Amino acid sequence: MIRHLLSVADLSVDEVWHLMFMAQDIKRGVLCPEVKKIIILLFEKPSLRTRVSFEVAMWELGGRAIYLSAQDVGWGRREELSDVAKTLSRYAGGTVARTFEHRTLELLVQEGSIPVINALSDREHPCQALSDLLTIYDKKGKVSKIKLSFIGDGNNVAHSLLLLSSMVGMDFIFCSPPKYRPREDIWSKAQNLARDSGCHVEYIPDPKLAVKEADIVYTDVWVSMGQEEEADIRRKSFLGYQVTPELLSYAREDVIFMHPLPAHHGEEISSGLLSHPSSVVFDQAENRLHVEKAILAWLLS
Ligand code: CP
Ligand code: NVA
């Protein structure tokens, strides 16, 4: 059966930990899997980390990655997406796709016959969340009795992190203006998962209260790719939700600060915050490589 990774919830909790332990071994150099295949990177939006980490991962696994922008392919204009999916399935072992609409990923799954990995859609960013879990586990040595406070937009990054935290039993506090809370279906799914894993999911609109006793303070941009027209209104709505050294001082003393990058300095974070002693953002970026190697080896082998 072909497996895909469109959502973190496509994985069982056991599979999540299997990927984490594989990624740790890959990072330590005690596991060097081979994936002598070709993957297609099909990207509708810009990327630094996701594109480069997947290209480096495939190269180091003994395979190759071919990058195609939406412009290169012209899907929906030059050619139907269903024909693109069928054609790519004849050449490659997998597709890693970054799309505006999550539905586009579902169509790639439906019409193609090779594994599809979500490299970020409007709904989720599973590779980021799995890499973040490795970072948290590396830094804290555990995930239960750990509290993650997410300050900012209820976006793709927040959705995957919320679901994954709830699956593995990590407390998740979400803090935003009411209009920018996560999607209702994802919130209720996370609540059910949290009930099973015995952790706590809560919405607290006040940033200072939300970060109280937090082990992790996490934020992401207020304006995601594709939301540029809402930029002004979003920047106004999120005033007061910036993560600053002062806000971090309300969290636990050994708090770590996380951000998936790219960051907008002076918006969701005060300038200089990426260099704060609590910041682990470049460890997060590095862990993309190790976790994606584990995902590729697991999914494509
Ligand atoms: N965090 C992340 O996915 O970065 P890119 O958009 O640069 O790939
Ligand atoms: N929420 C951001 C994440 C970028 C990695 C976006 O979708 O643009």
Side-chain angles (χ1 to χ4, degrees):
M1 192 184 74
I2 301 173
R3 294 285 301 269
H4 306 277
L5 181 61
L6 301 200
S7 163
V8 288
D10 292 341
L11 302 169
S12 67
V13 175
D14 285 349
E15 286 169 343
V16 168
W17 285 113
H18 176 66
L19 289 174
M20 289 302 110
F21 297 136
M22 264 184 89
Q24 271 192 326
D25 285 349
I26 290 169
K27 186 172 180 175
R28 288 190 195 119
V30 296
L31 178 67
C32 305
E34 276 197 348
V35 183
K36 293 195 167 171
K37 295 205 173 168
I38 306 292
I39 60 161
I40 306 294
L41 301 179
L42 199 56
F43 277 39
E44 275 191 302
K45 309 184 210 180
S47 168
L48 173 66
R49 280 143 290 272
T50 310
R51 176 180 175 177
V52 177
S53 56
F54 268 107
E55 290 202 22
V56 172
M58 276 314 276
W59 184 265
E60 292 183 353
L61 290 168
R64 288 288 302 273
I66 298 172
Y67 177 84
L68 296 173
S69 70
Q71 218 178 353
D72 293 327
V73 178
W75 69 64
R77 282 175 288 115
R78 183 169 181 267
E79 195 162 0
E80 294 287 327
L81 184 66
S82 55
D83 297 341
V84 173
K86 288 187 181 81
T87 305
L88 292 177
S89 300
R90 300 293 179 108
Y91 296 137
T95 304
V96 177
R98 170 167 285 199
T99 61
F100 283 102
E101 291 178 20
H102 196 76
R103 177 82 192 120
T104 307
L105 296 174
E106 291 166 347
L107 280 171
L108 287 172
V109 166
Q110 200 179 303
E111 300 294 335
S113 51
I114 52 176
V116 177
I117 297 174
N118 178 358
L120 181 147
S121 67
D122 57 348
R123 188 182 165 98
E124 275 203 53
H125 196 2
C127 299
Q128 181 68 52
L130 289 163
S131 310
D132 294 340
L133 183 64
L134 180 65
T135 308
I136 293 165
Y137 193 59
D138 274 357
K139 300 288 174 195
K140 300 287 178 190
K142 60 176 183 175
V143 295
S144 62
K145 308 249 181 319
I146 288 281
K147 178 165 154 183
L148 187 155
S149 298
F150 189 107
I151 315 293
D153 188 23
N155 61 16
N156 40 17
V157 168
H159 287 158
S160 289
L161 210 50
L162 165 62
L163 289 170
L164 191 60
S165 299
S166 311
M167 286 165 70
V168 301
M170 184 160 61
D171 290 338
F172 192 96
I173 308 298
F174 186 80
C175 171
S176 71
K179 188 174 167 207
Y180 296 100
R181 292 180 64 167
R183 286 170 55 130
E184 194 46 54
D185 57 336
I186 292 188
W187 188 259
S188 56
K189 188 169 187 165
Q191 297 233 305
N192 289 336
L193 290 165
R195 217 165 290 132
D196 292 343
S197 69
C199 70
H200 180 68
V201 170
E202 193 181 346
Y203 170 67
I204 301 180
D206 179 323
K208 282 182 187 152
L209 291 179
V211 302
K212 197 163 177 276
E213 294 297 312
D215 300 280
I216 301 151
V217 173
Y218 199 117
T219 192
D220 184 21
V221 291
W222 294 337
V223 184
S224 284
M225 291 178 278
Q227 297 174 331
E228 290 76 9
E229 283 182 3
E230 298 171 32
D232 287 345
I233 179 110
R234 282 176 166 269
R235 285 189 194 112
K236 277 193 200 106
S237 307
F238 279 102
L239 281 178
Y241 286 84
Q242 187 182 67
V243 179
T244 61
E246 198 227 332
L247 186 66
L248 292 179
S249 72
Y250 289 89
R252 284 176 57 98
E253 210 177 320
D254 61 351
V255 66
I256 56 172
F257 165 68
M258 301 181 75
H259 191 308
L261 305 178
H264 295 161
H265 301 240
E267 284 189 26
E268 77 277 4
I269 56 162
S270 55
S271 32
L273 197 72
L274 298 188
S275 317
H276 188 275
S278 301
S279 165
V280 298
V281 298
F282 297 107
D283 296 315
Q284 285 176 263
E286 180 192 324
N287 284 334
R288 295 291 305 269
L289 177 62
H290 310 302
V291 167
E292 284 158 12
K293 279 184 182 170
I295 294 169
L296 289 164
W298 177 71
L299 216 57
L300 303 191
S301 295

